[in-house]
Each structure stands twice: as structure tokens, then as C-alpha cells.
Amino acid sequence: MTRRPLVAGNWKMNGLSASIGELERIVAGARMLANVDLMVCPPATLLARFAGAARGSHVAIGAQDCHAQPCGAYTGDIAAEMLKDAGASAVIVGHSERRQLHDESDATVRAKALAARRAGLTAIVCVGETRNERDAGRAHEVVGAQLEGSLPDGGHDFIIAYEPVWAIGTGVTPTPDDVRGMHGFVRARLAARFGQMAEAIRILYGGSVKPSNAKELLTVEQVDGALVGGASLKADEFLAIAGVYR
Ligand code: PEP
């Protein structure tokens, strides 16, 4: 099966109204990139504005997190339904910064992925091992457990992002062989759990992807695109990464 690649940008806690120009440049550049889906995940404050600016293009707008409940007394939180209402079509769940800084467990991530499904959003479920876990030879075991605990049953309507924690924002990346090994492992786990349907699930690589290493990382077998942090903030760099699929 051929899966259409996706390059998604996670803006994290970056971006003000003035950043709309960067999105407009991405939307303009996307017209030249017919073979790849693009997505920008701005902070929640910019979702509606970005969704308006991207309407009619093939740049989707995603959110970075959601609450598991549809509404209620959860001061400061945002429901998946609200993200959808603001124009998002997807939401990142279980990013390592949420797992580490907000103590999110696999069960929490699974509840959020289910909330995304309930609201009609595609969940981008992040998994990845720490440096210590990799050095201890436990990378597959850790990622396997995260997949087991974080993915909801009853459908295959999500995207996986494999993001080794030690590669995020560090400029250090795994070797193509390591990426091949982990993506093959994730694909096998998906097949064991979801059967033939697993073939449709996209597995993105994330962690220090930039224009200079995009080709080497994104042309690895079973890599269906990228989740890009820092380099997604500049339209030129983001488009250059997506340009691997030209
Ligand atoms: C991320 O945070 O999802 C990420 C991949 O960040 P960076 O590209 O900056 O390493």
C-alpha cells in the first residue's frame, strides 16, 4: 500500500498574530508540492486565524493538545470539540513535552486520542524513548509499551509520530538504520494489533529534522513523513523539508 506522506509542523509555544505571514508563505509554497500533505500546528490562540488563512489549500491546521472531556470545569484546558470548532482537523497527543512536563501517562494520552476521534479530529500520537532508555537497549520495549497504552482500540484513524526524546530540539538524530529499525518495529506492532488496516496508518519521524538531513531521514523505509519542531517556524525551511517529496 502507498501511504501519502505528511509533513507536520509543531510550533509549540511560539507565534503571535504577526506570524500569519509565515503561514501564508507555507500555503503559497504548498501549491508546488502536490505529492505531500502539509500541516501546521500553531498554538491554540492562532488556530482560527490560521484555519481561515489555509482554507482551500492543502495545508491542514492541527492543534498541539486537547483535554479528554468535551466540556466542564477544567480551567485553562481546551476540548477536542473546541479545536475542531476553531478549524483544526488534527491534534497532537502525547508529545514528550506533555508526557514529561505535564506528567501525562499512556492512559491520559489514550483518553485524549479517543477525545480526538469523538470530535472528528485525527490524533497524532507521539511515542519515543529517552537517551537512557536507548543506551540501556530498551528503546523497542519502551516504545512498544507506549503504543500499547496510548493507542485507542476500535479504529485506525490516527497517525503515529516516533520522536526519540533525545533528538527533540538537540540537533542530534538517530542513524537511518536506527530509524528503519524502530519504524519497522512500530509497523509490526500496528499489524499485530490492527491487522491489515494497520497498513493505512502513517508513521512520522520527529526530532531535529531540518533541510540538511530531511532526505536521509525521510527516505527511510516505513517513514511516512515528519513531525517538525524548530524548523517548521520558518516557511523556507519547512517547505524545503517537505520538498523531499517533490
Ligand atoms: C517536536 O517537538 O515535535 C520536534 C520534532 O522538535 P524539533 O524538530 O525541534 O526537534
Side-chain angles (χ1 to χ4, degrees):
M1 138 158 318
T2 52
R3 290 173 293 273
R4 193 173 153 81
L6 166 67
V7 175
N10 172 13
W11 279 29
K12 312 192 186 195
M13 199 172 72
N14 296 292
L16 298 170
S17 334
S19 319
I20 192 91
E22 220 59 55
L23 177 75
E24 285 165 353
R25 280 187 277 284
I26 291 171
V27 167
R31 292 193 199 107
M32 306 291 130
L33 297 170
N35 302 325
V36 55
D37 290 336
L38 295 181
M39 184 187 293
V40 175
C41 303
T45 47
L46 292 176
L47 274 178
R49 221 171 310 187
F50 274 33
R55 192 161 297 131
S57 76
H58 75 279
V59 179
I61 301 301
Q64 299 175 15
D65 180 46
C66 66
H67 196 277
Q69 296 299 322
C71 58
Y74 302 102
T75 303
D77 281 317
I78 306 180
E81 283 77 359
M82 294 167 177
L83 302 173
K84 172 91 173 171
D85 185 54
S89 59
V91 58
I92 298 169
V93 295
H95 189 281
S96 62
E97 286 152 16
R98 301 286 320 175
R99 288 178 185 266
Q100 291 189 331
L101 304 175
H102 295 263
D103 269 340
E104 291 192 2
S105 65
D106 289 332
T108 303
V109 176
R110 186 203 292 246
K112 291 182 176 200
L114 280 167
R117 177 180 289 161
R118 182 188 67 221
L121 299 175
T122 301
I124 302 176
V125 182
C126 300
V127 293
E129 82 286 355
T130 63
R131 181 79 253 176
N132 283 347
E133 289 163 344
R134 175 157 286 267
D135 290 346
R138 295 182 54 232
H140 287 193
E141 175 201 330
V142 167
V143 168
Q146 288 175 335
L147 290 172
E148 186 61 34
S150 306
L151 294 179
D153 289 311
H156 59 283
D157 52 348
F158 44 77
I159 294 167
I160 309 286
Y162 166 58
E163 299 205 304
V165 178
W166 49 275
I168 294 181
T170 59
V172 181
T173 58
T175 65
D177 273 351
D178 286 342
V179 173
R180 184 177 300 107
M182 183 60 87
H183 279 239
F185 169 78
V186 172
R187 175 70 57 208
R189 282 298 176 101
L190 293 175
R193 179 150 162 203
F194 299 99
Q196 191 114 48
M197 295 304 186
E199 274 299 296
I201 300 172
R202 290 183 282 193
I203 308 173
L204 312 182
Y205 167 77
S208 294
V209 178
K210 45 193 181 202
S212 57
N213 63 19
K215 188 157 190 197
E216 159 179 281
L217 292 165
L218 303 190
T219 54
V220 168
E221 263 162 74
Q222 302 291 348
V223 173
D224 303 312
L227 181 54
V228 185
S232 70
L233 292 168
K234 290 270 167 279
D236 287 355
E237 291 189 31
F238 187 60
L239 291 167
I241 291 168
V244 165
Y245 297 107
R246 196 180 290 276

